[in-house]
């Protein structure tokens, strides 16, 4: 789960924010700690190493900007929360994900979370690419590529460079994270057998997706996932529960 820390000196604001997060994001986010001051937040951040911090600006003794100055390495994202519009420009200049005016409403918070998830997914993507490179260079025992049979021989692809695979009758199209596409005279089932089951999951009779690059799951009239690059793919009703259980079992 993604760890969150809330920093706010107002009890009412803390309760409202906590309630909205729990109601809307309980399955994906965990509130690691709720802090009333900058000093307590510094300790909590060091302890929990959160991915996201909701940070109030106006607080006694020290403000939200002071907290960011006092942390040596900021490896988390920030969403500012405040009652004052005057801090908006300075907050955004601090590379914050968003700037929410109190009292925070659900629509604005969900929008801010969506911005965070897009940036967080891209960060994971970059990390995975770097890890693939390190594994390939320094660990010869770790398989990072898979060979796909073609008319002229084999096409070697890094496993984690594959975004998703799509069935095309008796063919299969492989879409990579760099936009490259590879059409193979193999069924999707054949390709599925070549890829690690802990990384690739069948969400539909026509789609096999790399779990690392899923940004969100949406349910309305149809079920669908959205990948880090904005691509949307359908999730079949029969495979929905199995797909969601994959993530529930990982947390």
């Amino acid at each position: 789960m993604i760890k969150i820390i809330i920093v706010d000196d107002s009890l009412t604001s803390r309760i409202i924010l906590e309630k909205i997060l729990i109601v809307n994001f309980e399955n994906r986010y965990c509130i690691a700690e709720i802090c009333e001051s900058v000093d307590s937040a510094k300790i909590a951040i060091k302890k929990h190493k959160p991915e996201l911090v909701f940070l109030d600006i106006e607080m006694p003794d020290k403000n939200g900007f002071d907290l960011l100055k006092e942390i040596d390495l900021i490896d988390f994202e920030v969403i500012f929360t405040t009652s004052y519009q005057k801090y908006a420009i300075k907050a955004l200049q601090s590379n914050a994900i968003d700037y929410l005016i109190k009292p925070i409403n659900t629509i604005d918070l969900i929008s801010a979370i969506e911005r965070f998830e897009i940036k967080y997914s891209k960060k994971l993507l970059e990390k995975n690419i770097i890890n693939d490179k390190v594994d390939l260079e320094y660990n010869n025992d770790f398989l990072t590529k898979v060979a796909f049979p073609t008319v002229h021989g084999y096409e070697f692809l890094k496993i984690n460079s594959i975004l998703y695979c799509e069935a095309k009758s008796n063919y299969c199209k492989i879409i990579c994270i760099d936009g490259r596409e590879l059409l193979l005279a193999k069924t999707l089932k054949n390709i599925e057998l070549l890829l690690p089951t802990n990384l690739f999951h069948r969400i539909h009779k026509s789609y096999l997706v790399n779990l690392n690059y899923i940004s969100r799951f949406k349910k309305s009239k149809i079920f669908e996932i959205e990948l880090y690059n904005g691509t949307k793919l359908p999730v079949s009703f029969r495979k929905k529960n199995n797909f969601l259980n994959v993530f529930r079992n990982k947390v």
Side-chain angles (χ1 to χ4, degrees), residues 18 20 22 27 36-37 55-56 77 80 82 99 118 134 142 145-146 172 174:
E18 181 182 19
I20 296 176
I22 290 175
N27 292 330
E36 301 178 13
S37 67
L55 182 58
D56 186 20
E77 302 299 335
F80 280 107
T82 182
Y99 176 89
I118 291 172
V134 171
F142 186 83
K145 289 189 176 183
V146 61
C172 180
I174 297 176

Side-chain angles (χ1 to χ4, degrees), residues 143-149 155-166 172-176 182 184 186-202 207-211:
L143 180 62
T144 60
K145 289 189 176 183
V146 61
F148 294 105
E155 182 82 14
F156 292 88
L157 293 179
K158 287 184 179 179
I159 293 174
N160 214 31
S161 72
I162 300 170
L163 189 58
Y164 68 94
C165 306
E166 180 181 359
C172 180
K173 183 167 67 172
I174 297 176
I175 293 86
C176 300
L182 179 65
L184 302 174
K186 295 287 183 180
T187 65
L188 185 58
K189 181 63 176 177
N190 294 144
I191 300 304
E192 186 176 4
L193 294 174
L194 296 174
L195 296 169
T197 56
N198 64 331
L199 186 59
F200 288 85
H201 191 80
R202 191 78 167 262
Y207 294 98
L208 178 69
V209 66
N210 189 330
L211 297 175

Side-chain angles (χ1 to χ4, degrees), residues 4-237:
I4 289 177
I5 286 180
I6 298 173
V7 187
D8 199 315
D9 66 308
S10 167
L11 176 61
T12 300
S13 297
R14 295 197 301 267
I15 292 174
I16 291 174
L17 179 54
E18 181 182 19
K19 183 176 180 180
I20 296 176
L21 287 169
I22 290 175
V23 169
N24 293 277
F25 304 101
E26 187 175 19
N27 292 330
R28 290 182 294 172
Y29 293 81
C30 169
I31 300 176
E33 194 165 333
I34 299 176
C35 306
E36 301 178 13
S37 67
V38 167
D39 290 337
S40 62
K42 285 171 59 181
I43 297 173
I45 289 170
K46 184 176 181 179
K47 176 182 177 182
H48 299 289
K49 296 179 173 55
E51 286 79 27
L52 177 61
V53 173
F54 283 90
L55 182 58
D56 186 20
I57 295 180
E58 285 279 351
M59 290 182 285
D61 300 326
K62 299 176 182 178
N63 62 36
F65 298 119
D66 292 327
L67 173 63
L68 299 181
K69 291 177 182 177
E70 294 181 14
I71 294 179
D72 296 329
L73 177 62
I74 300 177
D75 55 356
F76 53 85
E77 302 299 335
V78 175
I79 296 177
F80 280 107
T81 61
T82 182
S83 301
Y84 304 97
Q85 183 70 42
K86 63 181 180 179
Y87 292 114
I89 295 178
K90 186 175 180 180
L92 296 177
Q93 287 176 339
S94 301
N95 293 321
I97 291 291
D98 211 335
Y99 176 89
L100 301 179
I101 298 294
K102 301 177 186 178
I104 296 172
N105 64 68
T106 302
I107 294 176
D108 289 343
L109 179 58
I110 290 175
S111 177
I113 289 290
E114 287 180 348
R115 291 191 182 92
F116 162 75
E117 289 185 340
I118 291 172
K119 189 170 183 178
Y120 183 65
S121 296
K122 290 180 178 178
K123 182 184 291 186
L124 286 180
L125 170 62
E126 292 171 357
K127 182 179 179 181
N128 287 330
I129 292 173
I130 291 172
N131 286 342
D132 274 352
K133 183 176 181 181
V134 171
D135 287 331
L136 185 61
E137 292 178 351
Y138 299 105
N139 187 354
N140 293 327
D141 295 328
F142 186 83
L143 180 62
T144 60
K145 289 189 176 183
V146 61
F148 294 105
T150 66
V151 176
H152 303 291
Y154 288 89
E155 182 82 14
F156 292 88
L157 293 179
K158 287 184 179 179
I159 293 174
N160 214 31
S161 72
I162 300 170
L163 189 58
Y164 68 94
C165 306
E166 180 181 359
K168 292 287 186 180
S169 185
N170 290 326
Y171 291 83
C172 180
K173 183 167 67 172
I174 297 176
I175 293 86
C176 300
I177 58 175
D178 59 3
R180 188 159 49 114
E181 296 183 0
L182 179 65
L183 186 63
L184 302 174
K186 295 287 183 180
T187 65
L188 185 58
K189 181 63 176 177
N190 294 144
I191 300 304
E192 186 176 4
L193 294 174
L194 296 174
L195 296 169
T197 56
N198 64 331
L199 186 59
F200 288 85
H201 191 80
R202 191 78 167 262
I203 60 169
H204 187 278
K205 65 178 182 180
S206 299
Y207 294 98
L208 178 69
V209 66
N210 189 330
L211 297 175
N212 277 337
Y213 302 139
I214 297 175
S215 295
R216 59 180 58 85
F217 170 76
K218 297 182 178 180
K219 51 182 180 179
S220 52
K221 292 182 179 179
I222 61 171
F223 300 110
E224 65 178 16
I225 59 167
E226 183 174 338
L227 304 181
Y228 85 98
N229 64 351
T231 298
K232 296 178 181 179
L233 301 175
V235 178
S236 70
F237 180 81

